[in-house]
Amino acid sequence: MPSPQKLSALIVGAGFAGCVVARELAEAGYTVHIIDKRPHIAGNAYDETDIHGVLVHRYGPHIFHTNGERIFEYLSRFTEWRPYEHRVRSVVDGRHYPFPINRDTLNLLYDLDLDEAGAQAYFECVREPRDQVRTSEDVVLNSVGRDLYNKFFLNYTRKQWGLEPSELKAGVAARIPVRTNTDDRYFTDTFQAMPLHGYTKMFEAMLRHPNITARLGVDFESVRGCFEQDHTVYTGPIDAYFNYCFGPLPYRSLRFEHEHLAGVAQYQETGTVNYPNDHAYTRITEFKHLTGQKHTGTSIVREYPQVEGEPYYPIPREENEALFKRYEALAKAEPNVTFVGRLAQYRYYNMDQVVGAALASARTLISARL
Ligand code: FAD
Ligand code: UDP
């Protein structure tokens, strides 16, 4: 058996999954070679300064939040943080409401004056109880009833996924809580913060290790079989790895429309504003809220969901998961390859969950000396 120092790994994809595994293996003495087909590191969390000098997220807003202290501590090795709690407004009939739905949303929308118990009673009265909560439609109707479903969820979900909420698993809409208090934060996790100098800088620090070399603009397909690594860690789409042998797995894509507004200090009241019922885009994000940057102008991004394009979201449906299971069976039988990340595991993972999955994969590899 070769000594641990001599082990080598090829890592495909320089997003959260790939970079965390790369760093862990490098520290364990592996020689690590990481590639990405894009010309940059950081995957979908990539941020850069636009030509106007504003730090923007090229692939849509990325807000870090986690309850995992271990994960937050891990990333804190590579960045300082700026505390940030994300807030969202949703526009219904031209008025802006706190979202997720809370007591203020109800009071504003229906001209009520409910206290916490009153809000609880209101939801009890309007909800459509479901014995089994299987779909995203069930989740919302079961908790807030038909009118709030129609106003805030139905059309947003149709736009975002090109599907009815009844065609999506419960977990999609269950990401959004319903509140009887007036907390208007999007997330309530213990740790909510943005990398002080941006995500890309954090990834640069992660990859800064003598055992790691990185090559960008390199597609795995063009180098497949060219390296003599002991182990491969693959973080791209799992169906692509197996040449789509069971047919393509459905992913949802987005088109990002970035815009700079010169001389506009602030465009909107919160980091993100959702448009469930109007426009072809789902939401607008203004980056200065997220980053705290001071600038005389501001940069925003609109997200337009679409079928074609980069695979951003696995689509959580029973039939897609059944297809994924067939690929997963091949993956388990593939010698010396680990599949990890949002695309390789076909899971609607947040960033912290990917970090957790990547740390677990690295631990398994290192302890087995693979
Ligand atoms: P990726 O970041 O997709 O990295 C995979 C990398 O593999 C990519 O860089 C890709 O180019 C590369 N690759 C693929 N195929 C190949 C190949 N054949 N050869 C070489 N390289 C290849 N999470 C949060 O926690 N908070 C948020 O606010 C949040 N907002 C999001 C907003 C949007 C619009 C999207 C799409 C996602 C958001 N996420 C958010 C989720 C977050 O982006 C993911 O959890 C995380 O980036 C996944 O990391 P990953 O490494 O698994 O995948
Ligand atoms: N959602 C909705 N209305 C909204 C926001 C979200 O119906 O205003 C639903 C929609 O189906 C969306 C899901 O809740 O895909 C999860 O929303 P989240 O903001 O977590 O999506 P992400 O940030 O991952 O795109």
Side-chain angles (χ1 to χ4, degrees):
M1 192 167 83
S3 72
Q5 284 74 10
K6 296 276 168 56
L7 286 172
S8 63
L10 171 68
I11 312 239
V12 180
F16 267 102
C19 290
V20 168
V21 177
R23 179 72 189 206
E24 288 300 283
L25 296 187
E27 288 184 4
Y30 287 62
T31 300
V32 177
H33 194 62
I34 185 165
I35 60 168
D36 201 297
K37 64 179 183 174
R38 294 175 180 173
H40 59 74
I41 59 170
N44 288 337
Y46 177 69
D47 54 15
E48 61 183 343
T49 302
D50 68 14
I51 55 167
H52 310 282
V54 180
L55 183 64
V56 301
H57 299 179
R58 188 190 286 179
Y59 305 100
H62 278 69
I63 296 117
F64 188 80
H65 56 101
T66 189
N67 286 317
E69 187 171 4
R70 195 177 56 89
I71 286 165
F72 190 69
E73 274 174 8
Y74 181 78
L75 292 177
S76 303
R77 294 176 53 199
F78 309 108
T79 187
E80 294 170 73
W81 299 95
R82 165 182 189 261
Y84 173 71
E85 293 184 318
H86 194 51
R87 286 181 167 76
V88 173
R89 296 288 178 263
S90 181
V91 181
V92 172
D93 296 330
R95 287 188 73 186
H96 291 224
Y97 296 96
F99 191 84
I101 293 169
N102 67 13
R103 189 163 93 225
D104 286 335
T105 315
L106 290 184
N107 285 336
L108 272 172
L109 185 63
Y110 299 120
D111 197 19
L112 298 168
D113 190 20
L114 302 172
D115 60 9
E116 185 137 15
Q120 180 79 48
Y122 186 91
F123 288 133
E124 255 331 300
C125 179
V126 297
R127 66 187 281 256
E128 294 183 12
R130 292 282 192 272
D131 288 338
Q132 281 198 314
V133 177
R134 289 208 319 270
T135 71
S136 281
E137 181 187 64
D138 294 335
V139 168
V140 182
L141 290 178
N142 185 56
S143 55
V144 299
R146 186 78 52 179
D147 193 52
L148 292 165
Y149 170 76
N150 286 338
K151 285 183 162 72
F152 290 94
F153 289 92
L154 177 59
N155 295 321
Y156 188 104
T157 301
R158 284 174 169 163
K159 242 194 295 191
Q160 171 70 12
W161 300 97
L163 293 167
E164 295 297 308
S166 58
E167 296 174 296
L168 284 162
K169 291 192 73 174
V172 176
R175 289 168 62 86
I176 311 294
V178 177
R179 303 192 181 122
T180 51
N181 60 21
T182 55
D183 188 347
D184 69 340
R185 295 171 303 161
Y186 207 61
F187 310 108
T188 51
D189 302 51
T190 317
F191 303 96
Q192 303 189 43
M194 300 291 288
L196 186 60
H197 303 293
Y199 287 96
T200 306
K201 290 272 183 261
M202 178 178 79
F203 278 87
E204 282 170 7
M206 221 182 279
L207 294 182
R208 202 174 297 127
H209 189 285
N211 288 350
I212 301 178
T213 53
R215 267 177 66 202
L216 300 174
V218 177
D219 194 314
F220 176 58
E221 290 311 322
S222 66
V223 297
R224 211 171 173 144
C226 298
F227 291 95
E228 293 198 346
Q229 72 281 0
D230 297 299
H231 201 89
T232 300
V233 177
Y234 182 84
T235 76
I238 190 168
D239 53 347
Y241 181 93
F242 292 107
N243 206 17
Y244 309 98
C245 62
F246 301 132
L249 271 168
Y251 294 91
R252 190 68 169 162
S253 192
L254 294 170
R255 177 170 67 83
F256 300 102
E257 184 183 82
H258 287 268
E259 189 182 352
H260 180 77
L261 303 157
V264 177
Q266 184 178 303
Y267 175 74
Q268 59 190 24
E269 64 192 299
T270 49
T272 297
V273 176
N274 289 358
Y275 293 87
N277 308 311
D278 318 296
H279 310 294
Y281 49 85
T282 49
R283 57 189 181 188
I284 300 181
T285 295
E286 182 177 16
F287 291 105
K288 286 200 317 184
H289 288 279
L290 280 55
T291 59
Q293 188 179 355
K294 302 277 178 258
H295 194 287
T296 51
T298 196
S299 293
I300 60 172
V301 65
R302 296 181 179 85
E303 294 173 53
Y304 294 82
Q306 57 183 31
V307 176
E308 301 301 330
E310 279 287 300
Y312 291 121
Y313 291 86
I315 305 179
R317 303 186 70 187
E318 298 286 356
E319 64 224 61
N320 300 348
E321 280 170 23
L323 180 55
F324 166 70
K325 288 280 170 216
R326 298 180 68 194
Y327 281 112
E328 193 186 34
L330 291 184
K332 281 183 178 151
E334 186 77 353
N336 301 322
V337 184
T338 296
F339 294 80
V340 61
R342 205 185 216 214
L343 304 170
Q345 295 179 276
Y346 200 68
R347 293 216 188 122
Y348 191 171
Y349 270 150
N350 290 328
M351 293 181 280
D352 63 322
Q353 296 169 306
V354 174
V355 173
L359 287 172
S361 291
R363 237 188 345 260
T364 304
L365 286 181
I366 292 163
S367 59
R369 295 265 172 264
L370 291 172

